Amino acid sequence: MTSVTNIETNPWPERSAGAVEPLLQISDLRISFTTAAGEVEAVKGVDLTVYPGQSVAIVGESGSGKSTTAHAIIDLLPGTGRVTGGSIRFAGRELVGLDRKQVEDVRGKEIGLVPQDPMSNLNPVWRIGKQVEEALVANGFKGNKAQRRTRVAELLAEAGLPDAERRAAQFPHEFSGGMRQRALIAIGLASRPKLLIADEPTSALDVTVQKKILDHLEGLTHELGTAVLFITHDLGLAAERAEHLVVMYKGRVVESGPSREILSNPQHPYTRRLVSAAPSLASRRIQSAHERGQVSPDQLTAHGSARPGDDVVVARNLTKKFKIRGSRPGSHTDFTAVDDVSFALPRGRTLALVGESGSGKSTAANMVLGLLEPTSGTVEFDGQDVTALSSREQFAFRRRVQPVFQNPYGSLDPMVSIYRTLEEPLRLHKTGDAKEREARVRELLEMVALPASTMRRYPNELSGGQRQRIAVARALALNPEVIVLDEAVSALDVLVQAQVLTLLNDLQAQLGLSYLFITHDLAVVRQIADEVVVMQSGKVVEHAATDEVFDNPRQQYTRDLLAAIPGSSLETGTIAG
Amino acid sequence: MPENPMHPATPRPGQERYTAPADQAKLGAVDAVDTTEAPSSLWNEAWRDMRRRPLFWVSATIIVLVSLVAMFPGLFTSQGPRVCQLANSLGDPAPGHIFGFDRQGCDIYARTIYGARASVVVGVLTTLAVVILGTTVGAIAGYFGGWFDTVLSRLTDIFFAVPLVLAAIVIMSVLPERNTWTVAAVLASFGWTSIARITRGSVMSVKNNEFVTAARALGMSRGAILLRHVLPNSAAPIIVYATVALGTYIVAEATLTFLGIGLPPWLVSWGGDISMAQQSLRVRPEILFYPAGALALTVLGFIMLGDVVRDALDPKARKR
Amino acid sequence: MLWYIGRRLLQVIPVFLGATLLLYAMVFALPGDPVAALGGERGLSAAVQEQIRSQYNLDKPFIVQYLLYLKGVVTLDFGMTFSHRPVIDIIAEAVPITFRLALMALVIEAIFGIGFGLVAGLRKGGVFDGTVLVLSLLVIAVPTFVLGFVMQFVVGVQLGWLPITAGRDPNFVSLLMPAMVLAATSLAYVLRLTRTSVAENISADYVRTARAKGLPRAQVTTRHVLRNSLIPVVTFLGADLGALMGGAIVTEGIFNIPGVGGTLFRAITTGENTLVVSLTTLLVLVYIVANLLVDLLYAALDPRIRYA
């Protein structure tokens, strides 16, 4: 059992329960926001206890009140938010109602914060070193300039930043996301707080980087004896990193207790839902309600040449180079985004292209969609090279392959009603008269399980998951054979993600669709894909059937990716029971 | 499960296993559509937001009133603006002449009413021209990029390098003919650059949205995408700028007329009247007040509206 | 950074050439004969007109005229006025005065605009914010020349606090009122820009991080909120120098200041186009240089730009 790391180094001071005073004790905490619609209670009576040196995680979806609770501890509620009831006791002292000066004393020195998004949390105009130094000086670090500089370098190095002294003189935009997050960890731990609040500290990073940073953070806080309060949406990550779990839903704690107990035996219906939906904990492909493996007769008649079982899309030796402008005028370098990539998508099946940012997976997808011209290589669709189509042929080709993109807020035109969004493809390709088009829009909405009344609404009235379903419906409008899903579920909350995945799976069975599924998340791949292509820096690293990749990965990079799935270490044994 | 030091048999106080009663936090169906509120587009929402602001009603009232005055001055006064008798020079307010008389013995109230048209016409004409020109240049440069962008952006830079009032002064001073059209044309020919820059920036950020890529994947032509998807989404900052700019063009026209190189003297205008009132400032300062006040009120109406529209269309306030 | 400066300098040249060509074309190629319009009501004799035409190269093709004029600009030889004074002398006299006036206006708008804007932005929605916002709208709505007259009348004539007009060699006190009038509209814009910028930055993630470090409020405000809010404000201030130049024509006219604006004002009324074009070229040049400086300052303020 390798699940819980660093057990040996855990500096738990006393063994007997009860002898230790809680470090942080939140009881019946209530937080309200004043909005145009009046007072809205975002946190409705939360209880939470953290002991010294312990790690506790709050798990919940967006809007559950988990971040709000955490920010209330050090009085960093945004906007009109304020604590309306309950108490927050820290090291025997009440934090609710402290004046500004007293709170400033607690911040940084007693309680540190590692915030969520490394891209926006460092001030772009100051050097990294300066921003770490501020955290030292503000909390009473005495020392001259040289001593401060040495200490800053020490802190950055301690947070796992190589070449810390030189890095300290750089600006945030010269850092990668992972490096910025390390700088933020250095800031959070600079004055050796007793408690560190880690608010989704790595959710914006690639999985392998995420794992490295979390491992490092865990080791560091153990060494320093710092208690950690994790805020996360990922149940697997929470269970892996914390010993005590607090599950929040709509401003309330629905379940809390030891991590593994909650995971192996969830009691509350919401927690059960979460556990069953968490992709990192799932181990099988979603089963469809419909019969699989058959191509619908409609489709066979629509595209005469199609036979089930053949490869609908074949990419051969795809290469894409971009010119990158250098800092000097006229100078540029070639950047190879996709390097000699070949794969085949069998009809009616799902092929996943997996890779981290910069792996070239989305560039490859855009070439399959015909939105980007390959530098060399071909994309064949039913045996026909799509890069050599005339513009008229290309227009016809558009009907057969459609995309669904990642960002639910960017993929629908906010100015256009849902009806017009779904009707546009039909109108553009001159399909049916007005009446038939309306009937088709209704049918499409039904396919993605949305009420017909949705068509009069606008994107801003819908949730992220609903928008993604509309995007799926738009892609389906022209009866395509292939859908390219470019990180289509990555921005969604777990439950909604599971819902959309199930929907996609059902649609595939019903309509005989072929999916090219682009994702960074191997966990999701297991739920939806039949075959996996793993990409790294523009090249194919591994290509195999999904089970093969999970059970018997052949490449080190694939193994790293698998190990980086949060909660992967928990999988064996514990969950089964 | 083996005994684990991190998980003591008895949990510590405050960390006992807890499950909320199932009825306390009711589980909704995952991601159901909220059908309680009526459907509403972004424009509807902006409108709803604006209606709540008193400032909107104040500015709308001013604008409607000024527009009415400009269109039908006869409705507001029975006096003619050019019926002047030197005998009345600098005369006090009298029945039927509530603001009194100016140096030429003209009725100040009538002149203030009739002066509205010139200002409003110049303001509206200039704004229309500027929006059409600026939006076209900015949209083409921003959307098509590359060679178009380079040429159009340099062109914009060149026109931008000449300050508006300065350019207008220089050109108006050599123009043989000065009337509403030439003033509007000169202001527009140097005023379009800001809108072009705003449109370009806005179009460039909108065109990176995934809904644009989705439209391309549907086979929609570039021109159609620009007109149907990109421009409507770039419109908010243009509308805001145009509203405020209308006010500033009115000021610019008045400045030119005041300098004697804007509208001709035979045309009743606030700028001209202010210029004339200046001569009797020491004796009768209030003569200056009426045309200047009317001018300021009109401009205030437009820039206030611009402010309200900006708040209502703010992309940050849009997201729920 | 050096490449950045070099690139920006290279970009300035075509803009300068284009802008001067544009102005020159507008003044000399538009319908209407500047020379015929010269003598005002009296008019000039055909012989004199001819002489002037050749003296100012007006008899040559347009592009030659422009190139000769450009040569003059580069060699600082702007030619003579009709009263046979070298234009360069007039410029040398007027520029320092206008420079002083514009600088005073810039300082006034920077200090009060940023100061009030900061306070309003920090307490967005408060009483001070509301008052200042309405006042700023009012100031923008009132044209500079009206404000000039009112100030002249109230502060100068009625109260007698400040001199009504500036003399031949205006000092600080006599320039104070014109500078305030000149600054007023821009001050309102600076204030509003600062306010928006501050109100936006105050809820930025990095400001929250700074607070979470335990940094005292004053330092959070100055080092993080204000520092970052200044980036757009500084850009505006630089671009505004052009508006100040345009405004100076009106302000210097009203307060009878013998600066560039006042001289231009008189040149326009007397129809001295050579002087008009020379002075305008100068102002455009100042404006372009100011914008260039602002760009460089912008790069210094925002490290992200330097590498873009």
Side-chain angles (χ1 to χ4, degrees):
Chain A
M1 176 132 168
T2 56
S3 61
V4 182
T5 47
N6 294 319
I7 296 166
E8 302 78 17
T9 55
N10 177 25
W12 191 319
E14 280 116 321
R15 270 306 171 93
S16 62
V20 193
E21 282 295 305
L23 178 66
L24 175 75
Q25 194 162 27
I26 297 178
S27 37
D28 197 29
L29 183 70
R30 289 168 186 280
I31 299 166
S32 291
F33 288 86
T34 316
T35 66
E39 195 98 332
V40 176
E41 199 167 49
V43 173
K44 304 162 181 165
V46 162
D47 298 297
L48 186 137
T49 308
V50 181
Y51 283 89
Q54 195 189 26
S55 60
V56 172
I58 308 182
V59 186
E61 295 174 280
S62 48
S64 61
K66 58 186 193 304
S67 285
T68 309
T69 304
H71 288 143
I73 299 170
I74 42 177
D75 192 22
L76 285 179
L77 288 174
T80 57
R82 62 196 173 87
V83 174
T84 49
S87 94
I88 302 171
R89 293 189 71 77
F90 180 79
R93 180 177 176 207
E94 179 61 50
L95 295 185
V96 174
L98 288 189
D99 67 26
R100 180 169 57 81
K101 272 242 131 51
Q102 290 168 317
V103 174
E104 281 170 2
D105 281 346
V106 174
R107 289 182 195 149
K109 198 191 243 163
E110 309 270 341
I111 305 176
L113 172 77
V114 178
Q116 180 166 16
D117 179 5
M119 293 305 165
S120 62
N121 271 294
L122 288 165
N123 190 334
V125 309
W126 296 117
R127 291 175 201 281
I128 298 286
K130 166 98 180 157
Q131 300 192 46
V132 180
E133 192 186 313
E134 272 185 347
L136 283 174
V137 177
N139 295 303
F141 182 86
K142 303 272 184 286
N144 61 27
K145 207 173 168 189
Q147 285 168 316
R148 289 202 300 265
R149 189 182 298 165
T150 320
R151 184 74 189 126
V152 165
E154 274 170 25
L155 284 167
L156 285 172
E158 175 192 276
L161 198 71
D163 198 8
E165 205 148 334
R166 188 177 63 85
R167 289 289 183 184
Q170 289 186 314
F171 287 98
H173 68 267
E174 298 171 78
F175 273 39
S176 70
M179 283 155 63
R180 290 187 207 200
Q181 197 53 274
R182 290 179 191 275
L184 285 164
I185 289 172
I187 289 172
L189 290 173
S191 302
R192 302 300 182 224
K194 297 194 195 87
L195 173 70
L196 187 71
I197 300 171
D199 183 5
E200 303 260 16
T202 52
S203 54
L205 304 174
D206 277 333
V207 274
T208 49
V209 181
Q210 173 174 351
K211 181 173 161 54
K212 271 187 213 142
I213 288 184
L214 285 178
D215 285 349
H216 192 89
L217 182 65
E218 195 169 294
L220 198 57
T221 47
H222 268 292
E223 219 172 274
L224 300 168
T226 315
V228 181
L229 180 61
F230 275 110
I231 315 297
T232 179
H233 65 280
D234 190 329
L235 192 60
L237 184 141
E240 193 176 58
R241 302 289 169 180
E243 58 202 76
H244 182 75
L245 272 191
V246 177
V247 181
M248 280 184 73
Y249 177 66
K250 290 192 173 163
R252 288 199 172 84
V253 173
V254 291
E255 190 156 359
S256 66
S259 308
R260 281 96 251 278
E261 256 180 58
I262 288 195
L263 222 53
S264 55
N265 185 19
Q267 295 290 319
H268 194 274
Y270 178 72
T271 322
R272 283 198 204 139
R273 265 192 198 178
L274 267 190
V275 170
S276 65
S280 51
L281 305 169
S283 55
R284 286 193 311 152
R285 198 183 198 289
I286 299 171
Q287 292 305 301
S288 172
H290 300 267
E291 197 96 1
R292 291 195 58 84
Q294 280 178 351
V295 176
S296 72
D298 282 4
Q299 219 178 345
L300 285 175
T301 44
H303 311 288
S305 64
R307 283 173 290 109
D310 62 349
D311 290 338
V312 61
V313 173
V314 180
R316 282 187 224 279
N317 311 98
L318 271 186
T319 299
K320 181 71 193 175
K321 287 182 179 157
F322 291 108
K323 276 195 169 71
I324 300 200
R325 234 176 62 187
S327 59
R328 297 168 186 213
S331 72
H332 64 79
T333 44
D334 270 348
F335 168 70
T336 310
V338 173
D339 193 356
D340 195 22
V341 166
S342 303
F343 55 82
L345 168 60
R347 186 176 300 279
R349 291 312 180 97
T350 303
L351 173 71
L353 284 187
V354 185
E356 297 184 285
S357 49
S359 63
K361 56 189 192 303
S362 286
T363 311
N366 280 337
M367 288 191 280
V368 170
L369 280 165
L371 295 174
L372 208 61
E373 194 109 330
T375 310
S376 66
T378 58
V379 176
E380 279 167 27
F381 199 95
D382 259 347
Q384 193 181 16
D385 184 359
V386 295
T387 51
L389 293 179
S390 72
S391 60
R392 168 176 281 202
E393 286 169 329
Q394 191 162 34
F395 186 71
F397 161 72
R398 298 287 186 207
R399 304 183 64 136
R400 305 176 65 182
V401 50
Q402 280 293 305
V404 176
F405 296 110
Q406 171 175 20
N407 180 0
Y409 293 91
S411 60
L412 302 180
D413 185 339
M415 295 283 173
V416 174
S417 72
I418 300 305
Y419 178 75
R420 272 188 54 208
T421 299
L422 294 181
E423 193 214 13
E424 188 164 68
L426 303 172
R427 189 190 281 266
L428 195 67
H429 287 264
K430 307 208 165 53
T431 313
D433 57 25
K435 223 181 181 131
E436 285 164 358
R437 288 201 294 262
E438 190 183 324
R440 177 66 178 156
V441 169
R442 283 175 191 279
E443 193 187 354
L444 287 168
L445 284 172
E446 199 182 320
M447 280 187 196
V448 295
L450 287 170
S453 64
T454 315
M455 66 181 166
R456 282 192 301 277
R457 297 193 174 271
Y458 285 81
N460 60 318
E461 301 175 274
L462 302 178
S463 72
Q466 290 159 5
R467 293 180 202 210
Q468 253 352 35
R469 283 191 271 163
I470 297 289
V472 171
R474 174 178 56 191
L476 290 174
L478 296 168
N479 265 322
E481 294 154 74
V482 176
I483 296 189
V484 176
L485 300 151
D486 191 352
E487 300 273 16
V489 296
S490 305
L492 304 176
D493 273 330
V494 210
L495 292 180
V496 181
Q497 187 180 60
Q499 187 188 37
V500 174
L501 283 174
T502 308
L503 175 77
L504 287 170
N505 206 50
D506 288 350
L507 287 169
Q508 180 170 49
Q510 250 174 46
L511 306 169
L513 295 165
S514 318
Y515 291 151
L516 185 61
F517 194 91
I518 318 292
T519 184
H520 69 281
D521 190 350
L522 260 179
V524 174
V525 167
R526 188 164 231 189
Q527 291 176 285
I528 187 106
D530 301 299
E531 278 181 51
V532 183
V533 170
V534 180
M535 288 182 70
Q536 186 189 16
S537 323
K539 290 196 175 71
V540 172
V541 178
E542 184 154 358
H543 184 170
T546 305
D547 288 340
E548 184 71 15
V549 166
F550 276 81
D551 299 339
N552 187 18
R554 270 167 299 172
Q555 299 295 322
Q556 184 55 41
Y557 181 66
T558 314
R559 280 194 283 272
D560 288 348
L561 277 181
L562 283 171
I565 298 176
S568 57
S569 56
L570 294 165
E571 199 161 33
T572 38
T574 35
I575 304 303
Chain B
M1 213 195 294
E3 177 64 29
N4 185 322
M6 279 179 81
H7 298 273
T10 36
R12 289 178 285 185
Q15 294 194 329
E16 299 86 359
R17 183 76 196 265
Y18 163 82
T19 309
D23 58 328
Q24 195 193 15
K26 267 217 173 120
L27 281 188
V30 174
D31 216 17
V33 178
D34 176 15
T35 48
T36 50
E37 273 179 65
S40 149
S41 70
L42 285 176
W43 295 118
N44 271 333
E45 271 174 35
W47 170 231
R48 213 184 303 159
D49 184 65
M50 280 201 303
R51 272 187 320 202
R52 278 202 298 266
R53 303 269 308 267
L55 217 54
F56 168 72
W57 293 108
V58 174
S59 58
T61 311
I62 295 174
I63 291 170
V64 169
L65 188 72
V66 172
S67 309
L68 280 178
V69 169
M71 280 187 276
F72 315 107
L75 288 179
F76 296 84
T77 174
S78 52
Q79 296 286 320
R82 294 189 196 84
V83 187
C84 313
Q85 288 176 311
L86 271 176
N88 287 333
S89 180
L90 299 179
D92 285 327
H97 308 280
I98 51 167
F99 293 170
F101 298 91
D102 66 10
R103 186 178 279 263
Q104 269 75 41
C106 313
D107 180 274
I108 296 176
Y109 174 72
R111 287 195 70 87
T112 307
I113 291 291
Y114 277 89
R117 179 174 288 173
S119 290
V120 172
V121 169
V122 170
V124 171
L125 281 181
T126 312
T127 308
L128 271 180
V130 156
V131 168
I132 293 169
L133 193 62
T135 311
T136 312
V137 170
I140 292 174
Y143 187 67
F144 294 102
W147 189 80
F148 279 108
D149 189 23
T150 313
V151 171
L152 291 177
S153 292
R154 284 301 144 266
L155 194 70
T156 311
D157 285 350
I158 287 171
F159 277 84
F160 190 80
V162 189
L164 177 65
V165 174
L166 188 65
I169 287 173
V170 172
I171 295 165
M172 287 310 296
S173 66
V174 295
L175 273 191
E177 182 130 1
R178 293 175 194 144
N179 57 39
T180 333
W181 292 95
T182 50
V183 172
V186 168
L187 287 178
S189 57
F190 283 87
W192 59 273
T193 52
S194 299
I195 285 217
R197 287 183 169 190
I198 291 169
T199 310
R200 176 173 174 271
S202 188
V203 163
M204 276 169 61
S205 76
V206 171
K207 81 167 176 184
N208 287 327
N209 268 303
E210 287 169 347
F211 63 78
V212 172
T213 322
R216 277 180 63 206
L218 284 172
M220 199 182 253
S221 70
R222 285 174 37 106
I225 294 175
L226 175 62
L227 289 178
R228 280 193 224 161
H229 292 294
V230 177
L231 273 183
N233 280 287
S234 318
I238 302 171
I239 293 171
V240 171
Y241 180 84
T243 318
V244 177
L246 207 159
T248 58
Y249 295 139
I250 291 179
V251 173
E253 173 271 310
T255 308
L256 292 175
T257 309
F258 162 76
L259 291 174
I261 50 174
L263 298 174
W266 52 263
L267 200 69
V268 186
S269 69
W270 291 333
D273 283 7
I274 292 169
S275 175
M276 276 194 290
Q278 180 208 356
Q279 295 155 10
S280 27
L281 187 65
R282 306 250 167 134
V283 210
R284 295 286 306 271
E286 62 271 28
I287 297 180
L288 175 79
F289 174 78
Y290 298 114
L295 178 65
L297 194 69
T298 307
V299 176
L300 192 64
F302 284 105
I303 55 179
M304 256 179 357
L305 184 67
D307 240 32
V308 178
V309 174
R310 184 196 325 263
D311 287 350
L313 293 178
D314 185 0
K316 268 166 239 143
R318 270 200 226 164
K319 272 190 198 140
R320 291 211 221 169
Chain C
M1 185 72 190
L2 271 177
W3 283 112
Y4 178 78
I5 296 176
R7 208 170 62 222
R8 287 295 294 119
L9 272 172
L10 277 177
Q11 279 171 1
V12 158
I13 294 168
V15 171
F16 174 73
L17 289 179
T20 47
L21 178 64
L22 191 68
L23 274 171
Y24 199 83
M26 292 266 182
V27 174
F28 287 101
L30 276 174
D33 186 344
V35 180
L38 255 185
E41 318 267 295
R42 289 171 291 130
L44 293 171
S45 73
V48 177
Q49 284 194 23
E50 217 34 62
Q51 188 213 328
I52 291 175
R53 281 211 174 83
S54 89
Q55 183 189 339
Y56 294 100
N57 304 314
L58 297 181
D59 49 353
K60 301 192 179 68
F62 171 75
I63 195 70
V64 179
Q65 288 181 37
Y66 171 70
L67 288 175
L68 285 169
Y69 148 80
L70 207 62
K71 180 178 156 236
V73 172
V74 175
T75 56
L76 288 180
D77 171 18
F78 291 95
M80 300 280 189
T81 65
F82 294 136
S83 52
H84 299 287
R85 260 193 88 195
V87 170
I88 189 73
D89 286 5
I90 300 184
I91 290 177
E93 253 171 51
V95 164
I97 298 173
T98 300
F99 184 73
R100 214 179 306 159
L101 179 69
L103 200 68
M104 280 170 72
L106 209 61
V107 169
I108 291 173
E109 73 181 71
I111 291 176
F112 292 99
I114 294 173
F116 289 152
L118 175 66
V119 178
L122 289 175
R123 308 223 171 103
K124 195 179 171 185
V127 180
F128 180 83
D129 181 37
T131 319
V132 155
L133 261 193
V134 173
L135 277 179
S136 71
L137 283 178
L138 268 175
V139 169
I140 294 171
V142 175
T144 310
F145 58 96
V146 172
L147 195 69
F149 288 140
V150 173
M151 289 272 284
Q152 210 173 26
F153 184 69
V154 176
V155 182
V157 179
Q158 302 281 63
L159 301 170
W161 288 349
L162 288 168
I164 302 164
T165 55
R168 279 198 64 76
D169 188 19
N171 57 12
F172 177 78
V173 176
S174 60
L175 281 181
L176 200 55
M177 188 153 64
M180 284 195 283
V181 171
L182 184 56
T185 311
S186 307
L187 193 154
Y189 281 117
V190 171
L191 185 155
R192 296 167 64 82
L193 189 60
T194 311
R195 169 188 177 268
T196 317
S197 196
V198 164
E200 205 177 287
N201 280 326
I202 209 166
S203 51
D205 282 349
Y206 57 79
V207 170
R208 192 188 56 199
T209 307
R211 290 169 67 199
K213 285 179 202 171
L215 218 56
R217 188 169 66 182
Q219 285 181 32
V220 174
T221 306
T222 50
R223 277 193 216 162
H224 293 276
V225 179
L226 186 60
R227 171 66 174 70
N228 291 52
S229 303
L230 280 184
I231 296 172
V233 176
V234 166
T235 319
F236 176 85
L237 280 176
D240 188 52
L241 212 62
L244 287 186
M245 296 295 174
I249 301 171
V250 177
T251 316
E252 292 184 0
I254 293 171
F255 292 97
N256 206 6
I257 300 168
V260 177
T263 313
L264 187 59
F265 186 75
R266 278 187 298 277
I268 287 168
T269 37
T270 53
E272 283 223 41
N273 282 350
T274 329
L275 194 53
V276 171
V277 170
S278 303
L279 289 173
T280 315
T281 310
L282 184 78
L283 293 184
V284 168
L285 194 60
V286 169
Y287 186 48
I288 292 175
V289 170
N291 272 308
L292 177 69
L293 287 179
V294 163
D295 266 12
L296 301 182
L297 191 59
Y298 191 72
L301 279 176
D302 190 342
R304 285 165 298 183
I305 303 295
R306 273 172 249 167
Y307 303 84

